Amino acid sequence: MDTQRAPQPQHPRDTPWTVRGVTAEEFPDVVGVYAEPMILSAEDELTTEREHPLAEHDRILVALDGDRMVGTTASHTLEMTLPGGPRTVAGVTGVGVWPTHRRRGILTALMTRQIADIHARGEAVAAMWASEGAIYGRYGFGLAAFELSARIRAPYAVLDSAAQGDPELTVELLPAAQARPILARLHREAATTRIGQFQRGDSWWGRILGSGAPWAAVVSGPDGPLGYALYATTNGWSEDGTDSLVTVKEVVSATPAARVALYQHLFSRDLVTRIAFSALPADDPLTLLVADRNRLVEQTSGSLRVRLVDLPRALTDRPYAAPVEVTMAVTDHYAPWNNGTWHLSADRDGATCERVPRCADLSLAVVHLGSVHLGQRSVSALVEAGLVHEHTPGAAARLDTALHVPRAAFCGQLF
């Protein structure tokens, strides 16, 4: 596969659309443009931003039709845990095109400029949540992580008898705002060990605690807090009695026993008939701890999409679970510096990734490298689907073994 001949997109300067940055004073106009296609209230978005500011105005781009804003994109500077530890990641957000200007190349102009800007900042990886997943694969964002939502009815909300609790642990129910310093510390520590999570500043916590999870169940041991569950309760009644709901937004724990204690608390609330978990890791212990797995109604959905902006740096800046030598012909229509044939040589002591003039073991698009980067998806599955082409038998399996990580990636927070 000759990736050097891959068609290149038009640079924004070669299109009818002007793409530029914005000033802080223009931010309300930016919100108005992206809120409408996202079916959001611009007024609510602005109120939230005033109360808990997150926007980095120097990371916002707009597309203009004459003098009128018709498209937006932005990014957060996130300290996100990747394979290898916390790294600076561009968290792409605020993407929208005015409804009358769809399918006219505006998004392509914005994404081409944004990817180039992220590269210029020295950020090797970008990540995003996509409201419409079919759009962003062509810009190199591969679906890299999945999350679990689950619900169970109270009669079956029972942990397996083998679940190991700790009699020294206690659970205290506190207003979430009051518990905020404890929550922030516990999450900060936990986020460094779970691929996909990012560190939250004050504004992030302000938004999270103001979005409908008023209670924090905090589990503690002799040496202090070990975990928490953020949740809300909804009162309800039917003709045969109570029909109330516990909605769990987040569960964080430092030890297995602390997590068992939190689940025991959530499953033991009086007058509750249903417990729903909004977002859990795909490998959350709940699926093993519940006494009757068939009674736990589970739904898995895609979450983080990952893009390798600087391919060789991203591939050398992560650990590998086993030695691997693989040559990959990579196509990247929107970051031409990634186009070419790359040889990855890695073991547990480090990795190199260099452009080489040789035949490839695998041919793939950069989107597929993004989708396997967090270790939750496999190259072999992409080969079986016909999306990645394997020229050397066994190359995909060897790369999968090297990319393996022991825990599922999990973000748990929209951005």
Side-chain angles (χ1 to χ4, degrees), residues 2-259:
D2 186 356
T3 58
Q4 299 299 329
R5 295 182 181 177
Q8 299 300 310
Q10 290 182 306
H11 190 277
R13 66 173 176 266
D14 300 323
T15 74
W17 316 113
T18 299
V19 176
R20 64 165 174 82
V22 300
T23 64
E25 291 72 25
E26 293 177 299
F27 185 69
D29 296 327
V30 173
V31 173
V33 172
Y34 82 71
E36 180 56 32
M38 292 295 293
I39 321 297
L40 299 171
S41 164
E43 183 178 346
D44 289 348
E45 291 289 296
L46 285 169
T47 298
T48 300
E49 177 65 19
R50 282 193 295 268
E51 293 175 350
H52 311 291
L54 289 176
E56 298 174 50
H57 297 122
D58 65 331
R59 301 200 68 156
I60 298 172
L61 294 171
V62 297
L64 303 179
D65 183 0
D67 295 329
R68 179 186 176 192
M69 288 186 193
V70 292
T72 69
T73 189
S75 56
H76 299 299
T77 306
L78 301 178
E79 184 184 342
M80 179 178 287
T81 301
L82 298 180
R87 300 288 188 270
T88 301
V89 170
V92 175
T93 187
V95 183
V97 174
W98 195 248
T100 57
H101 283 64
R102 297 166 62 249
R103 307 293 189 266
R104 293 168 63 180
I106 292 172
L107 182 57
T108 294
L110 285 165
M111 298 303 290
T112 302
R113 167 69 181 274
Q114 184 176 48
I115 291 166
D117 285 358
I118 292 169
H119 186 254
R121 283 176 174 264
E123 295 162 342
V125 175
M128 72 181 308
W129 292 72
S131 55
E132 293 189 75
I135 294 175
Y136 294 97
R138 68 176 180 267
Y139 300 113
F141 289 85
L143 182 58
F146 297 86
E147 296 189 359
L148 178 71
S149 59
R151 64 184 188 277
I152 192 167
R153 297 194 68 84
Y156 311 109
V158 178
L159 298 185
D160 189 278
S161 59
Q164 296 297 308
D166 183 341
E168 290 195 335
L169 299 184
T170 59
V171 177
E172 184 178 9
L173 186 61
L174 300 170
Q178 178 182 330
R180 177 168 165 170
I182 298 172
L183 310 184
R185 179 179 65 78
L186 290 169
H187 183 272
R188 182 169 58 250
E189 294 168 357
T192 63
T193 66
R194 176 69 77 165
I195 291 170
Q197 295 208 312
F198 62 89
Q199 296 296 331
R200 299 169 178 170
D202 288 342
S203 288
W204 276 111
W205 277 109
R207 290 188 178 211
I208 291 165
L209 298 184
S211 62
W215 295 108
V218 178
V219 58
S220 299
D223 297 324
L226 292 170
Y228 67 84
L230 274 178
Y231 71 91
T233 54
T234 304
N235 180 266
W237 293 87
S238 63
E239 60 184 11
D240 60 348
T242 182
D243 188 26
S244 296
L245 169 69
V246 164
T247 301
V248 185
K249 184 180 181 70
E250 184 168 85
V251 182
V252 169
S253 65
T255 67
R259 204 164 190 90

Side-chain angles (χ1 to χ4, degrees), residues 166-370:
D166 183 341
E168 290 195 335
L169 299 184
T170 59
V171 177
E172 184 178 9
L173 186 61
L174 300 170
Q178 178 182 330
R180 177 168 165 170
I182 298 172
L183 310 184
R185 179 179 65 78
L186 290 169
H187 183 272
R188 182 169 58 250
E189 294 168 357
T192 63
T193 66
R194 176 69 77 165
I195 291 170
Q197 295 208 312
F198 62 89
Q199 296 296 331
R200 299 169 178 170
D202 288 342
S203 288
W204 276 111
W205 277 109
R207 290 188 178 211
I208 291 165
L209 298 184
S211 62
W215 295 108
V218 178
V219 58
S220 299
D223 297 324
L226 292 170
Y228 67 84
L230 274 178
Y231 71 91
T233 54
T234 304
N235 180 266
W237 293 87
S238 63
E239 60 184 11
D240 60 348
T242 182
D243 188 26
S244 296
L245 169 69
V246 164
T247 301
V248 185
K249 184 180 181 70
E250 184 168 85
V251 182
V252 169
S253 65
T255 67
R259 204 164 190 90
V260 168
L262 291 169
Y263 286 142
Q264 287 174 333
H265 167 77
L266 294 167
F267 285 177
S268 65
R269 287 287 309 250
D270 290 336
L271 300 179
V272 170
T273 57
R274 295 168 292 144
I275 303 97
F277 296 85
S278 300
L280 296 169
D283 59 354
D284 192 85
L286 178 65
T287 60
L288 303 174
L289 290 169
V290 68
D292 187 348
R293 175 75 177 268
N294 290 337
R295 299 294 185 175
L296 185 69
V297 181
E298 304 170 39
Q299 180 175 345
T300 302
S301 57
S303 57
L304 280 185
R305 287 180 170 266
V306 168
R307 195 203 203 283
L308 306 191
V309 177
D310 185 331
L311 183 151
R313 185 173 149 215
L315 292 181
T316 56
D317 196 29
R318 59 157 294 156
Y320 291 84
V324 66
E325 298 275 344
V326 63
T327 302
M328 300 173 289
V330 180
T331 304
D332 190 340
H333 293 174
Y334 295 91
W337 52 86
N338 286 335
N339 268 326
T341 301
W342 299 89
H343 181 72
L344 174 66
S345 176
D347 57 28
R348 293 184 178 180
D349 295 325
T352 61
C353 185
E354 299 176 338
R355 200 188 302 270
V356 293
R358 69 173 73 170
C359 295
D361 301 312
L362 298 167
S363 295
L364 69 170
V366 74
V367 63
H368 301 127
L369 281 175

